[in-house]
């Protein structure tokens, strides 16, 4: 049994990127924790939408069976350098409380600038001498952010680890549907058809029907 912390810059990152893996880890007896970096806020979102998003988080947390959800509450779509030091401190507090053995987080070269800053801060917090119990760090890919990065050196998500989610894909898609405010219609990226297509493609890379893929940033053997 391991303690696993998944970091989402925005709610739905975790499901798009590794929903099947979370379900498989849960069923395998691992203890799951969820860190959500940002929250919807006014005036960008009205009160009705903010409440809807709060309800979505509650439903998704229950679906995965997270031991605890940490909501850092930084402004969604507005993270910037002014938040850096405070965000590092907030992330460090979570790491000190959970002491995870594995961390999963967004790819650092995603097109979304919120993802970029959250990734950079997470890398500061997860230095080996600060959290010696942390043995593994992985990046997941987030449809609508990872694949949208411009084709420049270093921007490509190149997986080197995979999880067979063939038995969990349908449940992952059902959980994604809980995000009523975020899911899209075909052929947009955050729709069930796109999620299924990516899982099929990643599965074909390793000879299973459906898979999720990751980049290993650090692993202590």
């Amino acid at each position: 049994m391991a303690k696993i912390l998944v970091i989402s810059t925005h709610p739905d990152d975790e499901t798009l990127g590794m929903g099947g893996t979370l379900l498989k880890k849960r069923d395998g007896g691992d203890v799951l924790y969820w860190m959500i970096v940002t929250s919807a806020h006014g005036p960008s979102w009205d009160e009705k939408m903010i409440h809807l998003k709060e309800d979505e988080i509650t439903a998704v947390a229950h679906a995965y069976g997270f031991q605890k959800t940490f909501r850092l509450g930084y402004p969604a779509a507005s993270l910037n350098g002014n938040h850096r030091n405070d965000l590092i401190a907030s992330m460090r507090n979570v790491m000190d409380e959970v002491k995870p053995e594995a961390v999963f987080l967004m790819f650092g070269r995603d097109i979304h600038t919120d993802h970029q800053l959250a990734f950079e801060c997470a890398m500061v917090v997860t230095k080996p001498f600060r959290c010696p119990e942390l043995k593994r760090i992985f990046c997941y890919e987030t449809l609508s952010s990872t694949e949208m990065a411009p084709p420049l050196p270093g921007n490509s998500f190149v997986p080197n680890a995979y999880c067979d989610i063939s038995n969990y894909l349908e449940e992952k898609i059902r959980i994604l549907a809980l995000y009523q405010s975020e899911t899209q219609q075909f052929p947009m990226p955050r729709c069930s058809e796109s999620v299924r297509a990516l899982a099929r493609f990643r599965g074909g890379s390793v000879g299973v029907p459906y898979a999720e893929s990751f980049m290993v940033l650090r692993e202590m053997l």
Side-chain angles (χ1 to χ4, degrees):
M1 183 178 72
K3 291 194 289 185
I4 295 173
L5 174 66
V6 56
I7 301 176
S8 303
T9 306
H10 313 99
D12 83 348
D13 292 339
E14 79 299 325
T15 299
L16 289 166
M18 58 173 301
T21 301
L22 286 170
L23 293 166
K24 189 172 185 176
K25 293 292 186 183
R26 178 201 67 189
D27 287 357
D30 291 332
V31 183
L32 308 180
Y33 297 84
W34 189 16
M35 180 198 300
I36 307 170
V37 176
T38 68
S39 297
H41 56 89
S44 298
W45 290 268
D46 61 29
E47 286 298 318
K48 181 178 180 181
M49 182 58 69
I50 290 172
H51 287 307
L52 173 61
K53 289 179 175 291
E54 294 294 319
D55 291 343
E56 290 171 353
I57 291 170
T58 300
V60 169
H62 182 265
Y64 286 120
F66 287 116
Q67 183 76 12
K68 186 172 181 178
T69 300
F70 300 88
R71 300 165 71 167
L72 304 189
Y74 292 90
S78 301
L79 276 182
N80 58 62
N82 293 328
H83 297 111
R84 186 183 304 274
N85 290 341
D86 191 60
L87 178 53
I88 289 171
S90 297
M91 286 183 162
R92 184 168 292 140
N93 288 337
V94 174
M95 291 293 297
D96 288 345
E97 178 176 342
V98 175
K99 298 187 183 307
E101 294 155 70
V103 165
F104 291 81
L105 72 160
M106 314 70 49
F107 181 54
R109 295 299 184 92
D110 282 0
I111 193 62
H112 203 307
T113 54
D114 282 1
H115 289 206
Q116 295 168 17
L117 182 61
F119 173 85
E120 292 171 7
C121 292
M123 289 295 95
V124 173
V125 170
T126 55
K127 291 177 181 177
F129 63 84
R130 292 195 180 279
C131 40
E133 66 285 336
L134 180 59
K135 305 303 182 185
R136 296 174 296 280
I137 304 175
F138 302 89
C139 280
Y140 56 78
E141 56 185 328
T142 307
L143 278 167
S144 78
S145 291
T146 307
E147 80 281 10
M148 298 293 180
L152 300 173
N155 281 0
S156 298
F157 182 86
V158 183
N160 55 0
Y162 297 81
C163 181
D164 181 356
I165 64 163
S166 302
N167 294 331
Y168 293 95
L169 178 64
E170 297 308 320
E171 188 174 355
K172 167 179 174 165
I173 289 173
R174 285 194 294 272
I175 293 174
L176 182 63
L178 295 174
Y179 285 113
Q180 300 175 45
S181 65
E182 295 293 339
T183 51
Q184 299 171 318
Q185 298 299 312
F186 180 81
M188 303 302 286
R190 291 197 305 274
C191 70
S192 61
E193 292 90 345
S194 296
V195 169
R196 193 183 304 279
L198 179 60
R200 174 78 79 180
F201 173 70
R202 294 305 188 193
S205 300
V206 289
V208 300
Y210 297 104
E212 289 170 339
S213 64
F214 304 90
M215 290 180 67
V216 180
L217 300 189
R218 188 165 82 230
E219 184 167 18
M220 178 67 73
L221 300 176

